[in-house]
Amino acid sequence: MTTPPVQRPMTAAFFVQAVLSFGLSLLAVALGVAYLPLGPWERGFLALGVLFLVSSTFTLAKCVRDRQELQEVTTRVDKARIDKLITEHDPFDPKNL
């Protein structure tokens, strides 16, 4: 008998949303750079685009990392070892007091 996973796997919708936000933010910065006479409005647009790009890049990196960790064999082996230790532990055993 194994315990249910502690970490729920990431949904496909969240992964797609992260990829799309990365692409949209990259497009926003590219368009901002393309129209560069650099008045105050353009500088604000570029700053906002770069901020969005950085934040969505962190989200995309997290999604890729989480997907890879869920597929690694070592994670599943470690979980099986912990489950075995928990099922074999007897809290009422005099040695554990």
Side-chain angles (χ1 to χ4, degrees):
M1 180 167 98
T2 62
T3 59
V6 175
Q7 180 183 10
R8 297 186 69 185
M10 162 184 56
T11 63
F14 182 74
F15 187 78
V16 169
Q17 183 267 334
V19 172
L20 287 177
S21 71
F22 177 78
L24 286 173
S25 64
L26 184 60
L27 180 65
V29 170
L31 286 174
V33 171
Y35 294 101
L36 242 185
L38 278 188
W41 186 87
E42 290 87 0
R43 288 184 195 274
F45 178 79
L46 286 175
L48 201 59
V50 169
L51 180 65
F52 186 47
L53 178 65
V54 169
S55 66
S56 61
T57 301
F58 281 113
T59 303
L60 180 61
K62 180 200 172 300
C63 290
V64 170
R65 183 201 64 207
D66 289 349
R67 180 169 279 187
Q68 183 180 8
E69 283 179 357
L70 286 174
Q71 295 174 355
E72 287 183 9
V73 175
T74 56
T75 303
R76 288 180 273 166
V77 170
D78 288 343
K79 185 183 176 319
R81 286 180 183 154
I82 290 172
D83 286 344
K84 182 181 177 194
L85 286 172
I86 289 172
T87 56
E88 291 175 351
H89 177 70
D90 182 11
F92 299 110
D93 187 12
K95 292 186 286 184
N96 295 327
L97 295 177

